[in-house]
Amino acid sequence: MNAELYLADLEAKPAALSELADALEAADPFEAVPDGIRRVVFLGMGSSRYAARVAALHLRAAGFDAVAEYASATASYPATPDTLVVAISATGGSRETLDAVARYRDRAPVLAMTNRPGSPITENADLVVPMLAGEERGGVACRTFQHTIALLMSLRNRLTRTDTDVPALLYRAAEATSDLLDRRGEWLESAADLLDGPDGVYTLAPAERLSSAEQSALMVREGPRRAATACETGDWSHVDVYLTKTLDYRALVFPGSPYDDQAMDWIRQRGSTVLTVGGDLPGAKSAIRYRHDHDPDVSLLTETLVAELIAARWWLAQ
């Protein structure tokens, strides 16, 4: 792992995302998904599962049985012809995911999504979908996370027979990402200072974008090796609010939950520090806005960049 190369990976996000949009305009990588799918089982670990959990929520809302399993779980749905198994591994070699998908091969259709065609996860898969994120030379899954979310949106289109223009969405997300990168001189230093406390960073996001909180916390742990914890905004008032009373609580909040006000009421009472991304909340110390941040799908694809750049800054300073 290398901090300078990680930063370079982040700076390459807009170009990589635009190239993925071009590829999706040219062809549907999910065209060979069989008809008659009733259930979708996502298998992955780490950021792969973070992305899949949000995708599963949206598929359930569309009427599908869908679940994002820890690949390390020893039991899940049984294999059936109408169950699509989506195995996600950026490197294509996650041991837990390889073990889990082996239980389904030849008994259910298996789709492998990876950034490394020809890697072990693709062996005997019925369909392989490349992430097209390019090599992440920093050793941290950042572009692959963004591309996984994008591709799972395209898969949802295919399964639900909806006509969301995913390439157009990706072009907007590339513009949003470029906007944050181009203007980081205006916000990055102050944002990093605001979250730089002795008790770690806490990230909050609505259920529909929980992956943003989870990936943001992971980036803080994985790069600069600082304590960071993610929480769903509504659940926060039931499981994490207690820490605002005893810690120097510093939170990175992604607005959009019906329960933002509930969380912020506690935060104001306790004098905790909040930085918001993509929206303004009363009581927050600061807010970082970016192009197209009114669109929740653009936010889902873009907003983790703030924590990724803060993590890179802290990592480089070590």
Side-chain angles (χ1 to χ4, degrees), residues 43-81:
L43 299 172
M45 300 296 290
S47 58
S48 296
R49 190 184 62 83
Y50 298 161
R53 183 152 71 171
V54 169
L57 174 62
H58 287 291
L59 282 174
R60 289 195 299 275
F64 284 79
D65 293 337
V67 65
E69 295 282 26
Y70 286 98
S72 54
T74 58
S76 184
Y77 284 111
T80 61

Side-chain angles (χ1 to χ4, degrees), residues 246-305:
T246 56
L247 301 182
D248 182 350
Y249 198 91
R250 305 195 183 202
L252 182 65
V253 176
F254 302 100
S257 168
Y259 306 103
D260 284 337
D261 289 345
Q262 178 176 262
M264 290 303 298
D265 184 49
W266 281 110
I267 283 170
R268 285 190 295 269
Q269 290 182 44
R270 301 282 169 80
S272 301
T273 300
V274 168
L275 170 67
T276 63
V277 176
D280 300 288
L281 291 175
K285 291 289 195 297
S286 185
I288 298 170
R289 306 300 300 266
Y290 54 87
R291 193 174 180 186
H292 306 307
D293 65 10
H294 62 280
D295 184 335
D297 286 335
V298 170
S299 296
L300 183 63
L301 287 159
T302 305
E303 59 196 358
T304 58
L305 181 61

Side-chain angles (χ1 to χ4, degrees), residues 9-205:
D9 288 338
L10 298 177
E11 292 169 339
K13 273 188 167 192
L17 200 58
S18 294
E19 289 173 6
L20 177 60
D22 292 344
L24 292 178
E25 278 193 326
D28 179 5
F30 300 101
E31 187 174 4
V33 170
D35 293 330
I37 294 299
R38 181 177 64 87
R39 175 182 293 142
V40 182
V41 176
F42 295 101
L43 299 172
M45 300 296 290
S47 58
S48 296
R49 190 184 62 83
Y50 298 161
R53 183 152 71 171
V54 169
L57 174 62
H58 287 291
L59 282 174
R60 289 195 299 275
F64 284 79
D65 293 337
V67 65
E69 295 282 26
Y70 286 98
S72 54
T74 58
S76 184
Y77 284 111
T80 61
D82 60 358
T83 295
L84 177 66
V85 178
V86 182
I88 307 171
S89 173
T91 64
S94 300
R95 176 184 171 187
E96 300 87 352
T97 307
L98 293 173
D99 289 346
V101 79
R103 299 195 294 267
Y104 289 95
R105 284 203 175 104
D106 300 322
R107 298 192 298 135
V110 173
L111 186 161
M113 188 180 298
T114 182
N115 204 40
R116 294 185 183 176
S119 58
I121 198 70
T122 68
E123 295 175 7
N124 301 314
D126 300 290
L127 176 63
V128 176
V129 175
M131 293 178 180
L132 302 178
E135 181 185 3
E136 291 173 317
R137 296 189 302 146
V140 177
C142 51
R143 290 200 308 267
T144 49
F145 171 75
Q146 187 180 44
H147 284 222
T148 298
I149 290 175
L151 286 164
L152 293 181
M153 288 177 171
S154 187
L155 174 61
R156 184 176 78 205
N157 254 11
R158 183 73 184 180
L159 292 172
T160 61
R161 300 293 192 266
T162 52
D163 57 358
T164 302
D165 191 341
V166 175
L169 169 62
L170 300 191
Y171 290 130
R172 293 198 300 276
E175 292 173 349
T177 302
S178 292
D179 183 43
L180 280 171
L181 286 166
D182 293 344
R183 293 188 301 102
R184 64 188 130 160
E186 302 172 11
W187 61 263
L188 180 55
E189 182 178 1
S190 59
D193 289 345
L194 198 64
L195 295 179
D196 188 4
D199 297 316
V201 176
Y202 299 84
T203 59
L204 286 73

